[in-house]
Amino acid sequence: MCGIFGYCNFLKDKDRKEILEILCNGLARQEYRGYDSAGLGIDGDNPGEIVFFKEVGKVAGLRKRIAESNINTSKTFSSQVSIAHTRWATHGPPSTVNCHPIRSDPSNEFIIVHNGIVTNAAALRQVLQNRGYKFESETDTEAVAILTKYVYDSQPGKRITFPSLVKTVLKELEGSFAFVFKSIHYPNEIVTARRGSPLLIGVKTEKKLKVDFVDVEISGPDDGKAVDGFVPTAPNSRLAPPAPKISRRQSRNYMSEDGMPQPIEFFVASDASAIVEHTKRVLYLEDDDIAHISDGQLHIHRLRRNESGQAETPATRSIETLEIEIAAIMKGKFDHFMQKEIYEQPESVVNTMRGRVIFDDYRITLGGLRSYLPIIRRGRRIVFCACGTSYHSALATQAMFEELTEIPVSVELASDFLDRKTPIFRDDVCVFVSQSGETADTILALRYCLERGALCVGIVNTVGSTISRETHCGIHINAGPEVGVASTKAYTSQYVALVLMALQLSEDRISFTPRRRAIIDGLRELPVQIKKVLELDSTLREFANTLLANQRSLLLMGRGYQHATCLEGALKIKEIAYMHSEGILAGELKHGPLALIDENMPVIIVMTQDSLYPKVQSAFAQITARKAQPIVICNEGDDGIKKGVKTIRLPKTVDVLQGLLNIIPLQLLSYHLAVKNGFDVDCPRNLAKSVTTE
Ligand code: UD1
Ligand code: M6R
């Protein structure tokens, strides 16, 4: 998805070369989100001048374009604001004209970068065109840029403040967005706002800040009022320009401890990974927050007030300290982030369990669920809702939840769940699984369940993300940042977190004690066993480079717990190796898929030893009878498999955890298939890390 980056320095000299470098780095750090073009807008040499650089393709291309230009890179700015963007096309194909920043007019009075989709952009465009405004791009964003100019032009004396102007514009918009606005009318000011798309602001100062929060300011009643259905008759007769009436505390965070204004830098981004190299002090914006940075000060306004005139969210936004290290988001010794993340799994599963499992006492403590356990246990059913890999992690643990909690469990794809308008009731427990915490379909499903009064639980990797904040309670999986678009370590950590949740829910059932203990013992062994599986890497590379190298299709089959493994393995192979791959429930073979089997159809069959082993053996017999030559994923020491059959032998663990080991060879296989074909492993075509549109 698109990535936003904004940079403001105040009383801090920066030459243009440094500013351009900061902007390009900010974009590069967000490359993993997926994008098809990149652009930026900076101050020109003369007042009121804005210079753009835009390029279709990668940030590296944008850097090259800048290097080849004759812009004076030594010009120094003691204060300035600049904005940058990586775009993932939704309205109009990738092109320099559709690339952000998008301008309101040829004089660049207002320029904007935007994530998300404005759903009423076509209607706004029509009204503005009827009023004589010219559009140059196909983007929804341009309607917002031009609307901003329109509202500004409509002000008598044009005395409206920048945040009031933006507030007026935002009130006309439908859909989801994160914006940053820059204008020649408001030099050195930036306004940024969000609804539905993440945004955070990094703050960097030399001296400590006096306070580590920013007050949310409630403005006077006329401030930023809506554009009367946007059907004005006489532009200059509407929208009196009210001076902002601040009825609450002023922003104080820009001052140092001695109470004096100080040099300061602000970084606005969609993602913490773009900020962490500059500062770890960040503030997350809430939906409908409008942040205004000017003269080294950060003010936060609300788009709307509730009826009592109070802000409906907390009255302050705290400046938090990010815990991720820059090293954690770099590739290190690995060629790709995906590879690094596959190899991190012995540690990431430990991080998911850290402080939560006391192995010697067989005790689980999930701090985030503690006070909600009685409500969950009383729930009529548990409904899991997720997309893609996160959906598979829920599917992988469904049977265990049913077994240990004895509560009916359903697992839903978030988009389908919404399409069906699934009935949800107050005594339902709805669990939303998401690595990013920003997946639009999952967020919409969450809001749907919140409206119906269900208890909503999040299983999320990204602290501070929308799902983490909007759920009643939850578990952070603590897998660390996942950069590769193909989800790997998040899957195993989600899986472990869900196992912990089921174990915690069943702790009061004495009859389950032996089973719970066996699972907890299995969890203790897990990191060592994952390391053993990773030792098979060269065998898997060999399979990718020989047996499967020129195949167009691959079937993966298994049953019970391993059905989810097959679906997840097939998803990995599709998304990064661009190879048709299908996960098949082995029990369904004779109801259709068997027709595909012959000596030319590549098959992997998961045949690790659990209670369904005899049934999978029969599936193996059915396919080999049709001349298939499957690769078998089985346990070490399984001597029931005929000589000459190609095997991937894995350590044995308790049945509910075996899927955690079985998925790893499939992750590695998909990785090597993609590398062999020279595909972009970390940013596969047409995909994005965080899917923030429906
Ligand atoms: C928390 C702290 C952790 C600290 C530990 C021990 C955070 C993020 N975690 O971890 O740094 O070491 O206590 O004191 O500060 N939540 C949701 N929805 C979600 C995920 C989580 O509402 O999707 C809520 C939880 O209900 C909880 C809070 O966020 O209130 C933190 O969750 P989590 O990090 O899982 O809690 P702990 O493991 O207790
Ligand atoms: O961030 P989320 O877990 O909510 O993302 C859900 C899916 O978009 C994601 O798992 C996707 O399927 C991955 N690219 C799969 O590797």
Side-chain angles (χ1 to χ4, degrees):
M1 285 301 113
C2 311
I4 281 179
F5 192 76
Y7 174 58
C8 319
N9 54 307
F10 174 72
L11 304 180
K12 176 98 190 156
D13 282 357
K14 290 276 167 186
D15 66 32
R16 196 179 265 147
K17 185 163 188 256
E18 289 173 282
I19 293 167
L20 286 166
E21 190 56 26
I22 289 170
L23 294 174
C24 289
N25 277 348
L27 295 184
R29 294 269 180 238
Q30 300 182 84
E31 285 193 297
Y32 73 88
R33 294 168 65 90
Y35 70 106
D36 46 47
S37 49
L40 55 86
I42 54 170
D43 287 336
D45 289 339
N46 304 308
E49 209 175 83
I50 291 180
V51 178
F52 294 102
F53 289 98
K54 297 184 176 190
E55 189 67 27
V56 174
K58 298 285 177 192
V59 175
L62 181 69
R63 288 187 200 269
K64 188 158 172 273
R65 179 170 286 256
I66 294 168
E68 285 167 3
S69 75
N70 54 7
I71 191 158
N72 168 10
T73 50
S74 57
K75 184 174 165 66
T76 301
F77 298 82
S78 93
S79 302
Q80 66 81 49
V81 303
S82 41
I83 59 179
H85 192 255
T86 45
R87 172 173 186 258
W88 195 67
T90 55
H91 291 60
S95 67
T96 44
V97 75
N98 287 333
C99 181
H100 298 208
I102 294 288
R103 60 185 186 175
S104 57
D105 62 298
S107 321
N108 307 321
E109 287 184 48
F110 295 92
I111 69 166
I112 310 186
V113 291
H114 168 211
N115 285 2
I117 295 178
V118 175
T119 47
N120 63 335
L124 293 173
R125 178 183 278 253
Q126 191 60 57
V127 176
L128 290 161
Q129 278 172 336
N130 291 347
R131 286 176 201 287
Y133 286 90
K134 296 260 176 302
F135 282 70
E136 58 184 9
S137 80
E138 292 164 72
T139 61
D140 51 339
T141 313
E142 193 172 12
V144 183
I146 295 180
L147 176 62
T148 313
K149 174 171 161 49
Y150 171 79
V151 175
Y152 179 80
D153 288 345
S154 312
Q155 299 298 302
K158 300 182 175 172
R159 284 186 292 121
I160 190 168
T161 64
F162 203 3
S164 299
L165 171 63
V166 171
K167 191 183 282 191
T168 306
V169 169
L170 296 185
K171 284 188 172 164
E172 296 301 319
L173 306 185
E174 290 164 17
S176 71
F177 50 73
F179 283 111
V180 188
F181 291 76
K182 169 176 166 68
S183 170
I184 58 172
H185 300 300
Y186 303 95
N188 300 340
E189 293 184 40
I190 218 170
V191 178
T192 178
R194 66 159 279 181
R195 183 193 296 156
S197 284
L199 261 189
L200 69 162
I201 301 176
V203 186
K204 183 177 179 187
T205 50
E206 267 150 38
K207 291 193 224 158
K208 214 168 162 252
L209 294 172
K210 190 171 174 196
V211 291
D212 58 1
F213 60 86
V214 177
D215 297 317
V216 175
E217 298 171 18
I218 310 290
S219 322
D222 294 332
D223 186 23
K225 81 178 176 193
V227 195
D228 296 342
F230 193 48
V231 282
T233 44
N236 290 336
S237 67
R238 298 166 314 100
L239 286 168
K245 294 178 203 147
I246 295 172
S247 59
R248 299 208 29 171
R249 294 155 292 178
Q250 298 284 338
S251 169
R252 291 165 288 175
N253 76 299
Y254 62 94
M255 291 176 185
S256 62
E257 273 180 316
D258 54 18
M260 298 297 288
Q262 59 170 326
I264 190 163
E265 292 164 271
F266 294 99
F267 307 85
V268 181
S270 325
D271 201 303
S273 60
I275 291 184
V276 70
E277 69 190 274
H278 301 289
T279 175
K280 293 192 170 175
R281 307 288 289 148
V282 301
L283 174 151
Y284 286 91
L285 293 183
E286 302 277 342
D287 269 356
D288 286 344
D289 276 354
I290 301 174
H292 178 214
I293 299 171
S294 164
D295 287 340
Q297 301 179 33
L298 167 61
H299 295 266
I300 294 184
H301 307 263
R302 294 288 296 158
L303 181 60
R304 299 171 210 287
R305 305 189 298 170
N306 67 12
E307 279 165 8
S308 63
Q310 296 299 309
E312 64 276 20
T313 58
T316 58
R317 300 282 173 269
S318 54
I319 299 176
E320 300 168 22
T321 303
L322 282 175
E323 282 178 15
I324 51 172
E325 293 294 331
I326 185 72
I329 51 172
M330 309 261 287
K331 273 187 258 183
K333 63 176 179 173
F334 295 98
D335 295 331
H336 299 95
F337 282 111
M338 181 187 180
Q339 186 190 27
K340 168 176 174 271
E341 286 154 9
I342 292 173
Y343 271 86
E344 272 171 6
Q345 291 175 105
E347 279 164 55
S348 52
V349 295
V350 170
N351 288 336
T352 307
M353 295 189 273
R354 195 182 302 285
R356 293 166 168 167
V357 187
I358 303 173
F359 290 104
D360 291 340
D361 294 349
Y362 294 98
R363 223 157 25 91
I364 309 289
T365 312
L366 294 168
L369 294 189
R370 195 180 294 124
S371 44
Y372 290 86
L373 290 172
I375 311 180
I376 302 176
R377 290 195 186 108
R378 280 200 308 271
R380 189 169 71 143
R381 59 177 175 161
I382 300 176
V383 181
F384 284 101
C385 235
C387 304
T389 291
S390 299
Y391 167 78
H392 295 152
S393 73
L395 210 57
T397 50
Q398 178 183 19
M400 178 203 46
F401 260 89
E402 286 173 335
E403 178 193 344
L404 293 183
T405 66
E406 295 180 316
I407 301 173
V409 177
S410 63
V411 182
E412 301 279 350
L413 282 164
S415 55
D416 184 55
F417 173 83
L418 285 167
D419 289 348
R420 282 175 16 236
K421 300 194 175 59
T422 309
I424 288 292
F425 305 98
R426 296 185 70 80
D427 49 3
D428 286 332
V429 176
C430 300
V431 183
F432 301 86
V433 189
S434 174
Q435 187 285 129
S436 61
E438 300 295 349
T439 300
D441 287 324
T442 314
I443 293 174
L444 291 174
L446 162 62
R447 291 183 180 155
Y448 174 92
C449 296
L450 284 171
E451 276 166 26
R452 282 155 184 78
L455 178 75
C456 293
V457 182
I459 309 290
V460 168
N461 195 27
T462 314
V463 178
S465 62
T466 303
I467 296 177
S468 162
R469 284 186 288 108
E470 294 191 9
T471 40
H472 294 114
C473 61
I475 310 172
H476 290 120
I477 64 168
N478 300 338
E482 190 181 64
V483 175
V485 166
S487 189
T488 52
K489 65 173 180 171
Y491 177 75
T492 43
S493 282
Q494 286 165 340
Y495 192 140
V496 168
L498 289 167
V499 170
L500 299 187
M501 181 173 167
L503 288 170
Q504 172 106 80
L505 286 171
S506 66
E507 69 194 349
D508 55 349
R509 311 266 179 128
I510 305 294
S511 59
F512 286 132
T513 305
R515 179 72 163 145
R516 291 181 74 253
R517 289 187 169 215
I519 299 171
I520 295 172
D521 283 337
L523 288 172
R524 192 204 284 252
E525 295 302 311
L526 192 60
V528 174
Q529 292 185 322
I530 295 179
K531 277 192 191 137
K532 274 199 94 179
V533 179
L534 291 170
E535 287 168 12
L536 298 172
D537 197 2
S538 53
T539 312
L540 291 153
R541 189 174 50 229
E542 183 70 15
F543 282 148
N545 291 347
T546 54
L547 219 58
L548 299 173
N550 301 312
Q551 301 293 349
R552 301 196 49 203
S553 197
L554 175 61
L555 303 184
L556 298 159
M557 46 189 83
R559 56 193 295 169
Y561 297 110
Q562 304 316 322
H563 180 216
T565 306
C566 294
L567 294 176
E568 174 58 9
L571 175 62
K572 291 289 90 87
I573 290 165
K574 273 185 265 226
E575 75 174 325
I576 63 161
Y578 312 155
M579 175 173 172
H580 169 252
S581 184
E582 211 179 315
I584 293 172
L585 187 75
E588 277 290 292
L589 256 186
K590 50 191 170 304
H591 302 293
L594 204 51
L596 289 170
I597 303 294
D598 61 17
E599 65 272 36
N600 299 317
M601 174 58 80
V603 178
I604 294 181
I605 185 161
V606 185
M607 228 165 104
T608 38
Q609 288 159 317
D610 59 22
S611 60
L612 299 175
Y613 185 77
K615 292 188 173 174
V616 189
Q617 271 183 318
S618 119
F620 177 85
Q622 288 170 41
I623 58 171
T624 46
R626 275 123 192 126
K627 300 206 176 89
Q629 297 176 339
I631 299 173
V632 183
I633 296 184
C634 59
N635 285 124
E636 289 164 345
D638 180 346
D639 44 22
I641 295 167
K642 273 195 256 149
K643 278 215 167 64
V645 173
K646 294 205 166 45
T647 54
I648 298 168
R649 292 185 178 262
L650 309 178
K652 186 167 181 339
T653 180
V654 57
D655 53 2
V656 296
L657 303 180
Q658 189 68 50
L660 286 162
L661 302 178
N662 293 2
I663 191 58
I664 291 168
L666 300 176
Q667 294 172 344
L668 288 166
L669 190 66
S670 67
Y671 172 76
H672 290 303
L673 283 168
V675 170
K676 159 122 199 3
N677 288 303
F679 298 146
D680 188 343
V681 173
D682 288 326
C683 300
R685 67 186 180 198
N686 307 333
L687 297 182
K689 182 65 185 162
S690 175
V691 186
T692 52
T693 51
E694 270 182 89

